[in-house]
Amino acid sequence: MIDATSSPIASLIDAAGRNRPTNSAFIKVSQMNPITSFLVFALLVAAAATGYFVHLYLGAAFFVVAVLVGTSLKMANVWQKFVILRMGKLQSVKGAGLFAIIPVLDSVVAVIDGRIQTTAFNAEQALTKDTVPVNVDAIIFWHVNDAEKAALAITNYREAIDRVAQTSLREMIGSSMLASLLSDRKDADEQLKIEIGRKTAPWGISVSSVEIRDVAIPVALQDAMSRQAQAEREKQARVILGSAEAAIAGQFVEAANTYAGQPEALQLRAMNIIYETTKERGATILMPSSMVDSMNPYGNTLALALAGNEVLKPNGALKVAELPRPAAAA
């Protein structure tokens, strides 16, 4: 008995299966569209019925027609482009709809997707211009605008886009300072878009946009930058505080000049301060009388005059009123 799994034929079949291309273009080409599948099925049923009930040769003719329809009738979706070669030369690029090819002479070598595609790429431990290692993640939005160039000018345009994007990202990082890379994301995105678009244009590929998603720096450098930012914030806060103190001092000088020329204004201010400090219920505040006198230099004179207990002398001095003497004892 011959072991089928160890025979040379099985080895050749297994090798052929391993070497078979597995890209999406091959899978799409090898699959029939629904219209072609329906027609092939109908022709096969007609071939079986005709061969059984009418004539065997007529059934064989229907079978041949079914094979021809299955291998020649193709259908492209609105976003697809079929690149067709005839005997090794470019025959045409078919767009959306049904079309037919010559089974033996023509072959579909690629099915190009014209929709916008996204490719994520990154650069690990790339050195900036100031020799700082960073990890950068980015994403590129692109689409095929020339299916003929994408199919014939390069072997695998998807892989090529990924390689070109990584190379361009490393070149951009090497020519940029860390501060500009962290702060000027839009400029870096535009620079990458122009550079990648220039390299992929000969392949019929247009780059819509490039976006840097994340820039990771070493932890030790993050701590140093955090301390630097904190020091800058503290410096700015001190500068703002000094400016505020200077402004307040200027306002105080202006207020002092006003009070010096207008004692009544100082008196009103003192009364307002006393009112503000005593208006809360349940609050007891002890205020030295000397403090009140200093804020209200004419307060004692005014109070004594209103009470009628003092009489002003001609020279401005105060004379205490004489109190009535008690009556003599009888």
Side-chain angles (χ1 to χ4, degrees):
M1 179 180 292
I2 299 176
D3 188 4
T5 60
S6 62
S7 63
I9 298 176
S11 301
L12 291 175
I13 294 173
D14 183 64
R18 288 197 303 267
N19 296 329
R20 179 179 299 171
T22 58
N23 54 18
S24 59
F26 179 83
I27 295 174
K28 290 180 181 179
V29 171
S30 61
Q31 295 176 350
M32 287 190 298
N33 59 80
I35 298 177
T36 304
S37 301
F38 175 77
L39 292 177
V40 170
F41 177 75
L43 289 172
L44 288 177
V45 172
T50 303
Y52 184 81
F53 293 106
V54 181
H55 197 276
L56 182 61
Y57 291 150
L58 187 58
F62 274 102
F63 179 79
V64 171
V65 173
V67 173
L68 291 176
V69 170
T71 56
S72 63
L73 191 61
K74 307 293 181 181
M75 184 181 70
N77 293 320
V78 67
W79 61 85
Q80 292 176 328
K81 298 290 184 181
F82 280 62
V83 181
I84 303 170
L85 296 183
R86 177 169 295 173
M87 293 185 297
K89 296 181 180 181
L90 179 65
Q91 195 272 332
S92 62
V93 177
K94 298 294 185 180
L98 283 173
F99 61 93
I101 62 173
I102 302 176
V104 179
L105 302 180
D106 295 345
S107 61
V108 179
V109 295
V111 178
I112 306 299
D113 194 333
R115 294 174 292 184
I116 295 177
Q117 308 290 326
T118 58
T119 300
F121 60 99
N122 59 0
E124 297 181 356
Q125 298 298 317
L127 293 177
T128 60
K129 191 175 182 179
D130 48 352
T131 65
V132 178
V134 294
N135 298 334
V136 181
D137 293 332
I139 188 170
I140 179 175
F141 297 85
W142 56 274
H143 69 279
V144 179
N145 59 3
D146 193 333
E148 179 182 343
K149 292 181 179 180
L152 305 179
I154 191 168
T155 304
N156 190 335
Y157 61 89
R158 293 180 179 272
E159 183 178 354
I161 290 174
D162 183 55
R163 299 294 183 267
V164 166
Q166 289 184 358
T167 304
S168 301
L169 179 60
R170 288 187 174 274
E171 292 176 355
M172 187 272 297
I173 294 173
S175 61
S176 303
M177 302 293 288
L178 178 61
S180 63
L181 186 62
L182 293 175
S183 59
D184 300 333
R185 291 283 188 89
K186 292 184 178 180
D187 294 340
D189 294 344
E190 189 65 22
Q191 181 180 350
L192 281 175
K193 174 186 174 182
I194 295 174
E195 184 65 20
I196 298 174
R198 182 182 62 83
K199 294 179 180 178
T200 58
W203 309 335
I205 296 171
S206 297
V207 177
S208 302
S209 63
V210 179
E211 296 180 3
I212 296 178
R213 296 185 293 180
D214 185 29
V215 178
I217 60 178
V219 178
L221 185 59
Q222 292 181 12
D223 295 338
M225 294 178 66
S226 177
R227 291 194 298 271
Q228 180 183 1
Q230 185 177 359
E232 291 291 338
R233 292 288 183 180
E234 185 175 356
K235 174 184 175 182
Q236 186 178 3
R238 289 179 179 272
V239 171
I240 295 174
L241 180 60
S243 301
E245 290 290 342
I248 293 172
Q251 295 293 328
F252 280 163
V253 170
E254 184 178 353
N257 294 331
T258 303
Y259 290 147
Q262 300 289 336
E264 294 82 0
L266 181 60
Q267 179 182 357
L268 293 175
R269 180 58 180 162
M271 294 174 61
N272 186 53
I273 291 175
I274 295 173
Y275 170 74
E276 290 293 335
T277 55
T278 58
K279 68 179 181 178
E280 294 293 335
R281 294 183 178 179
T284 302
I285 299 175
L286 299 178
M287 183 176 294
S289 60
S290 60
M291 179 179 177
V292 179
D293 295 341
S294 63
M295 290 187 297
N296 189 4
Y298 302 102
N300 292 334
T301 303
L302 182 62
L304 292 174
L306 292 178
N309 294 328
E310 293 86 12
V311 178
L312 293 175
K313 291 183 178 181
N315 57 0
L318 294 176
K319 180 179 71 174
V320 180
E322 296 182 356
L323 298 176
R325 294 179 181 181

